[in-house]
Coordinates of all heavy atoms in Angstrom, one line a residue:
G655 N -34.7 8.4 41.3 CA -33.3 8.8 41.3 C -32.4 8.1 42.0 O -32.6 7.0 42.6
V656 N -31.3 8.5 42.1 CA -30.1 7.8 42.8 C -30.4 7.7 44.2 O -30.0 6.7 44.8 CB -28.8 8.7 42.5 CG1 -27.6 8.3 43.3 CG2 -28.5 8.8 41.1
T657 N -31.1 8.7 44.9 CA -31.3 8.4 46.2 C -32.3 7.3 46.6 O -32.4 7.0 47.8 CB -31.8 9.7 46.9 OG1 -33.0 10.3 46.2 CG2 -30.7 10.8 46.8
T658 N -32.9 6.8 45.6 CA -33.8 5.7 45.8 C -32.9 4.5 46.2 O -33.4 3.5 46.9 CB -34.5 5.3 44.6 OG1 -35.3 6.4 44.1 CG2 -35.4 4.1 44.7
Y659 N -31.6 4.4 45.6 CA -30.7 3.2 45.9 C -29.6 3.5 46.8 O -29.0 2.6 47.3 CB -30.3 2.8 44.4 CG -31.4 2.2 43.6 CD1 -31.9 3.0 42.7 CD2 -32.1 1.1 43.9 CE1 -33.0 2.5 41.8 CE2 -33.2 0.6 43.1 CZ -33.7 1.4 42.1 OH -34.7 1.0 41.4
I660 N -29.2 4.8 46.7 CA -27.9 5.1 47.5 C -28.6 5.7 48.9 O -29.1 6.8 48.8 CB -27.0 6.1 46.9 CG1 -26.6 5.6 45.4 CG2 -25.9 6.5 47.7 CD1 -25.7 4.3 45.6
K661 N -28.1 5.1 49.9 CA -28.5 5.5 51.3 C -27.2 6.1 52.0 O -26.3 5.1 52.2 CB -29.1 4.5 52.0 CG -30.4 3.9 51.3 CD -31.4 5.0 51.1 CE -32.7 4.3 50.4 NZ -33.6 5.3 49.9
N662 N -27.2 7.2 52.4 CA -26.1 7.9 53.1 C -25.8 7.0 54.3 O -26.7 6.6 55.0 CB -26.3 9.3 53.4 CG -26.3 10.3 52.3 OD1 -25.5 10.0 51.3 ND2 -27.0 11.3 52.4
D663 N -24.4 6.7 54.5 CA -23.9 6.0 55.6 C -24.3 4.6 55.6 O -23.9 3.9 56.6 CB -24.3 6.6 56.9 CG -23.8 8.1 57.2 OD1 -22.6 8.3 56.8 OD2 -24.6 8.9 57.7
I664 N -24.9 4.1 54.5 CA -25.3 2.7 54.5 C -24.6 2.1 53.3 O -23.9 1.1 53.5 CB -26.9 2.5 54.4 CG1 -27.5 3.0 55.6 CG2 -27.1 1.0 54.0 CD1 -29.0 2.9 55.6
N665 N -24.8 2.6 52.1 CA -24.2 2.0 50.8 C -23.5 3.0 49.9 O -23.2 2.7 48.8 CB -25.1 1.1 50.1 CG -26.2 1.9 49.4 OD1 -26.6 3.0 49.9 ND2 -26.8 1.4 48.3
G666 N -23.3 4.1 50.6 CA -22.6 5.2 49.9 C -23.0 6.6 50.3 O -23.6 6.7 51.4
Y667 N -22.8 7.5 49.5 CA -23.2 9.0 49.8 C -23.6 9.6 48.6 O -23.1 9.3 47.4 CB -22.0 9.7 50.5 CG -21.5 9.0 51.8 CD1 -20.6 8.0 51.8 CD2 -22.1 9.5 52.9 CE1 -20.0 7.5 52.9 CE2 -21.7 8.9 54.1 CZ -20.7 7.8 54.1 OH -20.2 7.4 55.3
T668 N -24.6 10.6 48.8 CA -25.0 11.4 47.8 C -24.7 12.8 48.1 O -24.7 13.1 49.3 CB -26.5 11.4 47.4 OG1 -27.3 11.7 48.6 CG2 -27.0 9.9 46.9
L669 N -24.3 13.6 47.0 CA -24.0 15.0 47.4 C -25.1 15.9 46.6 O -25.6 15.4 45.7 CB -22.6 15.3 46.8 CG -21.5 14.6 47.7 CD1 -20.1 14.9 47.0 CD2 -21.4 15.1 49.1
A670 N -25.2 17.1 46.9 CA -26.0 17.9 46.4 C -25.7 18.2 44.9 O -24.5 18.1 44.5 CB -26.0 19.4 47.0
V671 N -26.6 18.4 44.0 CA -26.3 18.6 42.6 C -25.2 19.8 42.4 O -24.4 19.7 41.6 CB -27.7 18.9 41.8 CG1 -27.3 19.3 40.4 CG2 -28.7 17.9 41.9
E672 N -25.4 20.7 43.3 CA -24.4 21.8 43.0 C -23.0 21.5 43.7 O -22.0 22.3 43.5 CB -24.9 23.0 44.0 CG -26.2 23.5 43.7 CD -27.3 22.6 44.5 OE1 -27.1 22.2 45.6 OE2 -28.4 22.3 43.9
A673 N -22.7 20.4 44.2 CA -21.4 20.0 44.7 C -20.3 20.1 43.7 O -20.5 19.7 42.7 CB -21.4 18.6 45.4
G674 N -19.2 20.6 44.1 CA -18.1 20.7 43.2 C -17.1 19.7 43.5 O -17.2 18.9 44.5
P675 N -15.9 19.7 42.8 CA -14.9 18.6 42.8 C -14.4 18.6 44.3 O -13.9 17.5 44.7 CB -13.9 19.0 41.8 CG -14.4 20.2 41.2 CD -15.7 20.6 41.7
E676 N -14.2 19.7 44.9 CA -13.6 19.7 46.3 C -14.4 18.9 47.2 O -14.0 18.1 48.2 CB -13.5 21.2 46.8 CG -12.7 21.3 48.1 CD -12.4 22.7 48.5 OE1 -11.8 23.4 47.7 OE2 -12.8 23.0 49.7
E677 N -15.7 19.1 47.2 CA -16.7 18.3 48.1 C -16.6 16.8 47.8 O -16.6 16.0 48.7 CB -18.1 18.8 47.9 CG -18.4 20.1 48.4 CD -19.7 20.8 48.2 OE1 -19.7 21.3 47.0 OE2 -20.6 20.8 49.0
Y678 N -16.6 16.4 46.6 CA -16.3 15.1 46.2 C -15.0 14.5 46.8 O -14.9 13.4 47.4 CB -16.5 14.8 44.7 CG -17.9 14.9 44.2 CD1 -18.4 16.0 43.7 CD2 -18.6 13.6 44.0 CE1 -19.8 15.9 43.2 CE2 -19.9 13.6 43.6 CZ -20.4 14.8 43.2 OH -21.8 14.8 42.7
A679 N -14.0 15.3 46.5 CA -12.6 14.9 47.0 C -12.6 14.8 48.5 O -11.9 13.8 49.0 CB -11.6 15.9 46.5
N680 N -13.1 15.7 49.2 CA -13.2 15.6 50.7 C -13.9 14.5 51.2 O -13.5 13.8 52.1 CB -13.9 16.9 51.3 CG -13.0 18.1 51.1 OD1 -11.9 18.1 50.9 ND2 -13.6 19.4 51.1
L681 N -15.0 14.1 50.5 CA -15.8 12.9 50.9 C -14.9 11.7 50.7 O -15.0 10.8 51.5 CB -17.1 12.9 50.2 CG -18.0 11.6 50.6 CD1 -18.3 11.6 52.1 CD2 -19.3 11.7 49.9
L682 N -14.4 11.5 49.5 CA -13.7 10.4 49.2 C -12.4 10.2 50.2 O -12.1 9.2 50.6 CB -13.1 10.4 47.8 CG -14.2 10.1 46.7 CD1 -13.7 10.5 45.3 CD2 -14.8 8.7 46.8
G683 N -11.8 11.4 50.4 CA -10.7 11.4 51.3 C -11.1 10.9 52.7 O -10.4 10.1 53.3
K684 N -12.2 11.4 53.2 CA -12.8 11.0 54.5 C -13.0 9.4 54.6 O -12.5 8.8 55.7 CB -14.0 11.7 54.7 CG -14.7 11.3 56.1 CD -16.0 12.1 56.2 CE -16.8 11.4 57.3 NZ -18.2 11.9 57.5
I685 N -13.6 8.9 53.6 CA -13.8 7.5 53.6 C -12.5 6.7 53.5 O -12.3 5.8 54.2 CB -14.8 7.1 52.3 CG1 -16.1 7.8 52.6 CG2 -14.9 5.6 52.3 CD1 -17.0 7.8 51.3
L686 N -11.7 7.0 52.5 CA -10.4 6.3 52.3 C -9.5 6.4 53.5 O -8.7 5.5 53.7 CB -9.8 6.7 50.9 CG -10.6 6.3 49.7 CD1 -9.9 7.0 48.5 CD2 -10.8 5.0 49.6
N687 N -9.4 7.5 54.2 CA -8.6 7.7 55.4 C -9.1 7.2 56.6 O -8.4 7.2 57.7 CB -8.1 9.2 55.4 CG -7.2 9.7 54.3 OD1 -6.4 8.9 53.9 ND2 -7.6 10.6 53.8
D688 N -10.2 6.7 56.7 CA -10.8 6.1 57.9 C -11.2 4.6 57.7 O -12.3 4.3 57.1 CB -12.1 6.9 58.3 CG -12.6 6.5 59.7 OD1 -12.4 5.4 60.1 OD2 -13.4 7.3 60.2
R689 N -10.3 3.7 58.1 CA -10.5 2.3 57.8 C -11.7 1.8 58.5 O -12.4 0.9 57.9 CB -9.2 1.5 58.4 CG -8.1 1.5 57.4 CD -8.5 0.4 56.4 NE -7.3 0.3 55.6 CZ -7.3 0.2 54.3 NH1 -8.5 0.1 53.7 NH2 -6.2 0.1 53.6
D690 N -12.1 2.3 59.7 CA -13.2 1.8 60.4 C -14.5 2.2 59.6 O -15.5 1.4 59.4 CB -13.4 2.4 61.8 CG -12.3 1.7 62.6 OD1 -11.9 0.6 62.5 OD2 -12.0 2.4 63.7
L691 N -14.6 3.5 59.1 CA -15.6 3.9 58.3 C -15.8 3.1 57.0 O -16.8 2.7 56.6 CB -15.5 5.5 58.0 CG -16.4 6.0 57.0 CD1 -17.9 5.9 57.5 CD2 -16.2 7.5 56.6
L692 N -14.7 3.0 56.4 CA -14.6 2.2 55.2 C -15.2 0.7 55.3 O -16.0 0.2 54.5 CB -13.2 2.1 54.5 CG -13.0 1.4 53.2 CD1 -14.0 2.0 52.0 CD2 -11.6 1.4 52.8
N693 N -14.6 0.1 56.4 CA -15.2 -1.3 56.7 C -16.7 -1.4 57.1 O -17.4 -2.3 56.6 CB -14.2 -1.8 57.8 CG -13.0 -2.3 57.3 OD1 -12.7 -2.5 56.2 ND2 -11.9 -2.2 58.2
R694 N -17.1 -0.3 57.8 CA -18.6 -0.3 58.1 C -19.3 -0.1 56.9 O -20.4 -0.6 56.7 CB -18.8 0.8 59.1 CG -18.4 0.5 60.7 CD -19.0 1.6 61.6 NE -18.9 2.9 61.1 CZ -17.7 3.6 61.5 NH1 -16.8 3.1 62.2 NH2 -17.7 5.0 61.2
L695 N -18.9 0.8 55.9 CA -19.6 1.0 54.7 C -19.7 -0.2 53.9 O -20.6 -0.6 53.3 CB -18.9 2.2 54.0 CG -19.7 2.8 52.9 CD1 -21.0 3.3 53.3 CD2 -18.9 3.9 52.2
K696 N -18.5 -0.9 53.8 CA -18.5 -2.2 53.0 C -19.5 -3.2 53.5 O -20.3 -3.8 52.8 CB -17.1 -2.8 53.0 CG -16.1 -2.1 52.1 CD -14.8 -3.0 51.9 CE -13.8 -2.6 53.0 NZ -12.6 -3.2 52.7
E697 N -19.5 -3.4 54.9 CA -20.4 -4.3 55.6 C -21.9 -3.9 55.4 O -22.7 -4.7 55.0 CB -20.1 -4.5 56.9 CG -18.7 -5.2 57.1 CD -18.3 -5.3 58.6 OE1 -19.1 -4.9 59.5 OE2 -17.1 -5.5 58.9
S698 N -22.1 -2.6 55.6 CA -23.6 -2.3 55.5 C -24.0 -2.2 54.1 O -25.2 -2.4 53.7 CB -23.8 -0.9 56.2 OG -23.0 0.1 55.6
S699 N -23.1 -1.9 53.1 CA -23.5 -2.1 51.8 C -23.9 -3.4 51.3 O -25.0 -3.6 50.5 CB -22.2 -1.6 50.9 OG -21.9 -0.3 50.9
R700 N -23.1 -4.3 51.7 CA -23.4 -5.7 51.3 C -24.8 -6.2 52.0 O -25.6 -6.7 51.4 CB -22.3 -6.8 51.9 CG -22.6 -8.1 51.5 CD -22.5 -8.4 49.9 NE -23.0 -9.6 49.6 CZ -22.9 -10.1 48.4 NH1 -22.5 -9.3 47.4 NH2 -23.4 -11.3 48.2
K701 N -24.9 -5.8 53.2 CA -26.2 -6.1 53.9 C -27.4 -5.5 53.2 O -28.4 -6.1 53.0 CB -26.2 -5.7 55.3 CG -27.4 -6.0 56.1 CD -27.3 -5.6 57.7 CE -28.5 -6.0 58.4 NZ -28.5 -5.5 59.9
Y702 N -27.3 -4.2 53.0 CA -28.4 -3.5 52.1 C -28.6 -4.1 50.8 O -29.8 -4.4 50.5 CB -28.0 -2.0 52.0 CG -29.1 -1.1 51.4 CD1 -30.2 -0.9 52.2 CD2 -29.0 -0.7 50.1 CE1 -31.3 -0.1 51.7 CE2 -30.1 0.0 49.7 CZ -31.2 0.3 50.4 OH -32.2 1.1 49.8
Y703 N -27.7 -4.6 50.1 CA -27.8 -5.3 48.9 C -28.6 -6.5 49.1 O -29.7 -6.8 48.3 CB -26.5 -5.5 48.2 CG -26.6 -6.5 47.1 CD1 -27.1 -6.2 45.9 CD2 -26.2 -7.8 47.4 CE1 -27.3 -7.2 44.9 CE2 -26.4 -8.8 46.3 CZ -26.9 -8.5 45.1 OH -27.1 -9.4 44.1
E704 N -28.1 -7.3 50.0 CA -28.8 -8.6 50.1 C -30.3 -8.5 50.6 O -31.2 -9.2 50.2 CB -28.0 -9.5 51.3 CG -26.7 -9.9 50.7 CD -25.8 -10.6 51.7 OE1 -26.2 -10.6 52.9 OE2 -24.7 -11.0 51.4
E705 N -30.6 -7.4 51.5 CA -31.9 -7.4 52.0 C -32.8 -6.6 51.2 O -34.0 -6.7 51.2 CB -31.7 -6.7 53.4 CG -31.1 -7.5 54.4 CD -30.9 -6.8 55.9 OE1 -31.3 -5.6 55.9 OE2 -30.5 -7.4 56.7
Q706 N -32.3 -5.7 50.4 CA -33.1 -4.7 49.5 C -32.9 -4.7 48.1 O -33.9 -4.4 47.3 CB -32.9 -3.3 50.1 CG -33.2 -3.1 51.5 CD -34.7 -3.3 51.8 OE1 -35.6 -3.0 51.0 NE2 -34.9 -4.0 53.0
L707 N -31.8 -5.0 47.6 CA -31.5 -4.8 46.1 C -31.0 -6.0 45.3 O -31.0 -5.9 44.1 CB -30.3 -3.8 45.9 CG -30.5 -2.4 46.7 CD1 -29.3 -1.5 46.6 CD2 -31.8 -1.7 46.0
S708 N -31.0 -7.2 45.8 CA -30.6 -8.3 45.2 C -31.7 -8.9 44.2 O -32.8 -8.6 44.5 CB -30.1 -9.4 46.1 OG -31.3 -9.9 46.8
W709 N -31.2 -9.6 43.3 CA -32.2 -10.3 42.3 C -33.0 -11.3 43.2 O -34.3 -11.5 42.9 CB -31.5 -11.0 41.3 CG -31.0 -10.1 40.3 CD1 -29.7 -9.9 39.8 CD2 -31.9 -9.4 39.2 NE1 -29.7 -8.9 38.8 CE2 -31.0 -8.6 38.5 CE3 -33.2 -9.3 39.1 CZ2 -31.5 -7.8 37.4 CZ3 -33.8 -8.4 38.1 CH2 -32.8 -7.7 37.3
Q710 N -32.6 -11.8 44.2 CA -33.3 -12.9 45.1 C -34.4 -12.0 45.7 O -35.6 -12.5 45.7 CB -32.4 -13.4 46.1 CG -33.1 -14.4 47.0 CD -33.6 -15.7 46.4 OE1 -32.9 -16.2 45.5 NE2 -34.8 -16.0 46.9
K711 N -34.1 -10.8 46.3 CA -35.1 -9.9 46.8 C -36.1 -9.6 45.9 O -37.4 -9.6 46.1 CB -34.5 -8.8 47.6 CG -35.4 -7.8 48.1 CD -36.1 -8.4 49.4 CE -36.9 -7.2 50.0 NZ -37.7 -7.6 51.1
W712 N -35.6 -9.1 44.7 CA -36.6 -8.7 43.7 C -37.4 -9.8 43.3 O -38.7 -9.6 43.1 CB -35.8 -8.3 42.5 CG -36.7 -7.8 41.3 CD1 -37.1 -6.5 41.2 CD2 -37.3 -8.6 40.2 NE1 -37.9 -6.5 40.1 CE2 -38.1 -7.7 39.5 CE3 -37.3 -9.9 40.0 CZ2 -38.7 -8.2 38.3 CZ3 -37.9 -10.3 38.8 CH2 -38.7 -9.4 38.1
G713 N -37.0 -11.0 43.1 CA -37.8 -12.2 42.7 C -38.8 -12.5 43.8 O -40.0 -12.9 43.4
S714 N -38.5 -12.4 45.0 CA -39.5 -12.7 46.1 C -40.5 -11.7 46.2 O -41.8 -11.9 46.2 CB -38.8 -12.7 47.4 OG -37.8 -13.7 47.5
E715 N -40.2 -10.4 46.0 CA -41.2 -9.3 45.9 C -42.2 -9.5 44.7 O -43.4 -9.2 44.8 CB -40.6 -7.9 45.9 CG -39.9 -7.7 47.2 CD -40.8 -7.5 48.5 OE1 -41.9 -6.9 48.3 OE2 -40.5 -7.8 49.5
F716 N -41.5 -9.8 43.6 CA -42.4 -9.9 42.4 C -43.3 -11.1 42.5 O -44.4 -11.0 42.1 CB -41.4 -10.1 41.1 CG -42.2 -10.2 39.9 CD1 -42.7 -9.1 39.2 CD2 -42.5 -11.5 39.4 CE1 -43.4 -9.1 38.0 CE2 -43.2 -11.5 38.2 CZ -43.7 -10.4 37.5
Q717 N -42.9 -12.2 43.1 CA -43.7 -13.4 43.2 C -44.9 -12.9 44.2 O -46.0 -13.3 43.9 CB -43.0 -14.5 44.0 CG -43.7 -15.7 44.2 CD -43.0 -16.9 44.7 OE1 -41.8 -16.9 44.8 NE2 -43.7 -18.1 44.9
L718 N -44.7 -12.2 45.3 CA -45.8 -11.8 46.1 C -46.8 -10.9 45.3 O -48.0 -11.1 45.5 CB -45.4 -11.0 47.3 CG -44.5 -11.8 48.4 CD1 -43.8 -10.9 49.4 CD2 -45.4 -12.9 49.0
L719 N -46.2 -10.1 44.5 CA -47.2 -9.1 43.7 C -48.0 -10.0 42.7 O -49.2 -9.7 42.6 CB -46.3 -8.0 43.0 CG -45.8 -7.0 43.9 CD1 -44.8 -6.1 43.1 CD2 -46.9 -6.1 44.4
A720 N -47.4 -10.9 42.0 CA -48.0 -11.6 41.1 C -49.1 -12.6 41.6 O -50.2 -12.6 41.2 CB -47.0 -12.6 40.4
E721 N -48.7 -13.3 42.8 CA -49.6 -14.0 43.5 C -50.8 -13.3 44.0 O -52.0 -13.7 43.9 CB -49.0 -14.8 44.7 CG -48.0 -15.8 44.3 CD -47.2 -16.4 45.5 OE1 -47.3 -15.9 46.6 OE2 -46.5 -17.4 45.2
N722 N -50.5 -12.0 44.5 CA -51.7 -11.1 44.9 C -52.6 -10.7 43.7 O -53.9 -10.7 43.8 CB -51.1 -10.0 45.5 CG -52.2 -9.0 46.2 OD1 -53.2 -9.6 46.6 ND2 -51.9 -7.7 46.3
C723 N -52.0 -10.4 42.5 CA -52.8 -10.2 41.3 C -53.6 -11.4 41.0 O -54.7 -11.2 40.6 CB -51.8 -9.6 40.3 SG -51.2 -8.1 40.5
L724 N -53.0 -12.6 40.9 CA -53.8 -13.7 40.6 C -54.9 -14.0 41.5 O -56.0 -14.4 41.1 CB -52.8 -14.9 40.4 CG -51.9 -14.9 39.3 CD1 -50.8 -16.0 39.3 CD2 -52.6 -15.0 38.0
Q725 N -54.7 -13.8 42.7 CA -55.6 -14.1 43.8 C -56.8 -13.1 43.5 O -58.0 -13.6 43.6 CB -55.1 -14.0 45.2 CG -56.1 -14.2 46.2 CD -55.4 -14.1 47.7 OE1 -54.5 -13.4 47.9 NE2 -56.2 -14.5 48.6
H726 N -56.6 -11.9 43.3 CA -57.8 -10.9 43.1 C -58.5 -11.2 41.7 O -59.7 -11.0 41.6 CB -57.1 -9.5 42.9 CG -57.0 -9.0 44.3 ND1 -55.8 -9.0 45.0 CD2 -57.6 -8.2 45.3 CE1 -55.8 -8.5 46.1 NE2 -57.0 -8.0 46.3
K727 N -57.7 -11.7 40.8 CA -58.4 -12.1 39.4 C -59.3 -13.2 39.6 O -60.4 -13.4 39.1 CB -57.2 -12.3 38.5 CG -57.9 -12.6 37.0 CD -56.8 -12.8 36.0 CE -57.5 -12.8 34.6 NZ -56.6 -12.9 33.5
V728 N -58.8 -14.3 40.4 CA -59.5 -15.5 40.6 C -60.7 -15.2 41.4 O -61.9 -15.6 41.2 CB -58.7 -16.6 41.1 CG1 -59.5 -17.8 41.7 CG2 -57.6 -17.1 40.3
S729 N -60.6 -14.4 42.4 CA -61.7 -14.1 43.3 C -62.6 -13.0 42.8 O -63.7 -12.8 43.5 CB -61.2 -13.7 44.7 OG -60.6 -12.5 44.7
G730 N -62.3 -12.5 41.7 CA -63.1 -11.5 40.9 C -63.2 -10.0 41.7 O -63.9 -9.2 41.4
K731 N -62.1 -9.8 42.5 CA -62.1 -8.5 43.2 C -61.4 -7.6 42.4 O -60.4 -7.8 41.7 CB -61.3 -8.7 44.5 CG -62.2 -9.5 45.6 CD -61.5 -9.6 46.9 CE -62.3 -10.4 47.8 NZ -61.7 -10.7 49.1

């Protein structure tokens, strides 16, 4: 689900399924009215993307998995 990729206070926020429009509006207002919070969120979002979600990261992780699978196949394990 969404919480797999969205981390509160890092790259966004998730609200409860039951949350109504007022809760969404309050959260957006809080973020947009606090320049420091908005800037921290922008910076941490980019860092989280680069370290966890980028295609570069995906490729590196996939390569490790593929190499591990091939190693086990070659060694007969």
